[in-house]
Amino acid sequence: MALIHNLGFPRIGKQRALKFALEAYWAGTIDQSTLRAKGAEIRKQNWALQAQAGVELLPVGDFAWYDHVLATTVMVGAVPARHHSADSNPLDTLFRIARGRAPSGCACAASEMTKWFDTNYHYIVPELSAEQRFSLTDSELFTHVSEAQQLGHTPKPVLIGPVTYLYLAKCADEPFDKLALLPQLLEVYQQILDKLAAQQVQWVQIDEPILALELDSAYRQALKDSFTSLSGHGVKLLLATYFDDVSHHLDDIQDYAIDGVHFDWLASTVDIQALDKAVGNERLLSLGVVNGRNVWRADLSSLHAQLHPIAEQRGEMLWIAPSCSLLHTPVDLEQEQQLDSELKSWLAFATQKCQELQLLRHALHSSDTTAIDGYSAAVKARQSSTRVNNKRVQQSVAALSAQDAQRQSAFSKRAKTQRQALQLPLLPTTTIGSFPQTQAIRKARRDFKNGTLDSQAYHTQMEAEIRYVIEEQQALGLDVLVHGEAERNDMVEYFGEQLEGVSFTHFGWVQSYGSRCVKPPIIWGDVARSQPMTVHWSRYAQSLTQKPVKGMLTGPVTILSWSFVRDDLDNPTIAKQIAVALRDEVVDLQNAGIGIIQIDEPAFRERMPLKTSHWQDYLDWATYAFRVAASGAEDKTQIHTHMCYSEFNDIIGAIADMDADVITIETSRSHMELLNAFEHFYYPNEIGPGVYDIHTPNVPDVTSIKTLIHKAAQKIPVERLWVNPDCGLKTRQWQETRAALYNMVEAAKELRQELN
């Protein structure tokens, strides 16, 4: 009979308990023992939720204080030298790597952060050198295993595979062959497995998601060698793959020294017979049959029909699970007491996905499909629901042509018109959009939503916040201002709340990184804009100053990527629907006197398919969607976009094809290394490389900012450079924000004098 296991569970807790505990510890209002106790409480609750839902083999090691890649870095002793501190402890060392600062130890530059494959989850990039030495230096995993066992659970420890870990790492100094470090790293992994075997662990999950990529021969051989090295250490090894089809690696996988393989059955069309053959009768086959990355209820009846033959054939050698870790989904749908009942009937969060597996397992074992047929009725009802279709939207998208993705003139002509209209200095200074979200701002938004603050009072308070932000920016001497986004809870959620075909939950939080949680919109129908979404706030801000104020929008690809997207319509069509809605907003902002409009696309790179052979198709429709959104702008209206955590070498041509007048990008953590993409590619438009890292409370000095601008000027002509932070300032405090921006403006002023 098929066993139910899970690859990972949301670590934040039902009510984001981990977020609040982390931030309290960083602020010094709780001590480390209290933080650790809260972590143990969250793990206990998570294991209980899964066990009650029917999961028999529970993931352990999926809990992390910041992210699981960083946890691996600390466990294998790969801490960068600058983050070591004699007056610190392992947990604070971890936080210094992630944030540049912790309650104990030195303040120093944080490590880079980027996206986990094609998800909106961030990880801290390991920094390795050719002389790297690994050692088992952290025992958290073994502590968590003991906790689970003492609670009566059967744990399945989860490890990031050593080859994936090396693949994700960066060379700290000069480039070198990272795979040369594999033999030494494998020695540490062997020690880990030996310790787990001593704890009576039977199965260990080794995650190697790079198998979804198109790997070269060196990495393919490294994967084979790693499993040969790790076998025979007293535990059974379950290779876990996910996020895409791995059929192109099946010949390799069948030669791995492993005891079982987990495949993401939902990632693409998969030949189950080919998977079965590759695994063989002597090894376990695990199938990810419910979606670990989306929130739609599974059609268990259809799954049963497809799985029944293989379940009959394999018996206990078949396991069922979510497609990937449930880290990417909210914790529990039952908390959503105010959600539209029909929409709620279409959904399943992490807890419910575990329950789905239990229902499916029962049907496979008993051949009684009554329960799953009843459960799947809502899925079929959704498929025929009339509320998801909007003919007006469908007709607008169908009518789009190549001309709808064109500005009035080429950039060379637009740039002259914009320079005359805006009259900006050399190295113009600006920010990315958001300013600190104070407790007063959050309370006002919360009270307004709850109905305890009326509309007039809410608008009065938001306008007061905008006035304050404008005055602060003028006092600092910034050249292009923003309204600060006080009215916005999240850059995607804010727009999703105002678009037709989109709904929101109250507790549907997922982790983005560390203590940062987001509540993705649920796109369930055709997307349309019924009224202006940002015009009032931008117009008000512009009325307070003679300096230009940027209108702030989130782009179509990012809204799509950071939402739970309907699975009954292709992504390019949904992106076009959003783009048409945003185009209308651009026109309205322009008509309201807003001369600069920023259309943020931080998700542009992360959305790219994992296989390079599929990239161009994606880039074609993603670029088209962005250009449609910007196409309503006149020549004098300057269109900005913002991207972060991207390997720009992969998409530099597409960035140019987007034809934004100005692009701002995250480059500070890499010390402008990401600008290497522009070294061999002539990028004609203007660019603002981030000159300081907003994800750390550390305040940059004038000299360090000038150094970064000088480095940028080696790749981009100075007359086309902007000066800005690398991302929005929403998560920062006002004191550090003022200090950092003051230094940024001073650096720009000094450089103008030096260059004139």
Side-chain angles (χ1 to χ4, degrees), residues 76-78 128 132-136 165-166 181-182 184-185 188:
V76 301
L128 305 178
Q132 187 71 49
R133 293 293 177 264
F134 298 104
S135 60
L136 182 55
Y165 179 78
L166 291 177
L181 300 176
L182 182 59
Q184 187 198 153
L185 180 60
V188 178

Side-chain angles (χ1 to χ4, degrees), residues 273-286:
Q273 296 304 321
L275 300 184
D276 182 53
K277 180 181 178 182
V279 172
N281 295 328
E282 302 300 317
R283 295 189 293 184
L284 179 83
L285 172 62
S286 168

Side-chain angles (χ1 to χ4, degrees), residues 387-459:
R387 68 185 291 192
V388 303
N389 297 305
N390 184 321
K391 289 186 177 180
R392 176 176 58 83
V393 173
Q394 294 170 0
Q395 290 170 354
S396 295
V397 169
L400 289 174
S401 66
Q403 188 59 39
D404 287 295
Q406 300 295 325
R407 296 284 296 276
Q408 293 178 350
S409 304
F411 171 74
S412 57
K413 181 180 178 181
R414 298 196 311 263
K416 294 177 183 178
T417 304
Q418 291 163 15
R419 280 195 291 270
Q420 184 176 3
L422 296 171
Q423 296 292 308
L424 296 174
L426 184 70
L427 296 172
T429 56
T430 190
T431 63
I432 302 305
S434 62
F435 267 78
Q437 295 257 320
T438 63
Q439 289 297 325
I441 291 173
R442 294 191 179 98
K443 183 178 186 302
R445 282 205 311 265
R446 184 170 58 250
D447 291 347
F448 179 55
K449 280 191 173 184
N450 295 338
T452 56
L453 185 68
D454 64 34
S455 178
Q456 182 176 350
Y458 172 73
H459 276 74

Side-chain angles (χ1 to χ4, degrees), residues 378-391:
V379 180
K380 294 175 172 55
R382 173 179 161 234
Q383 293 170 351
S384 59
S385 173
T386 57
R387 68 185 291 192
V388 303
N389 297 305
N390 184 321
K391 289 186 177 180

Side-chain angles (χ1 to χ4, degrees), residues 139-147 149 155 157 192-202 235:
S139 60
E140 284 253 352
L141 173 64
F142 314 113
T143 300
H144 297 176
V145 168
S146 295
E147 287 177 9
Q149 290 172 330
I192 294 169
L193 297 181
D194 289 340
K195 281 182 167 290
L196 292 173
Q199 290 182 288
Q200 305 302 311
V201 166
Q202 293 186 338
V235 295

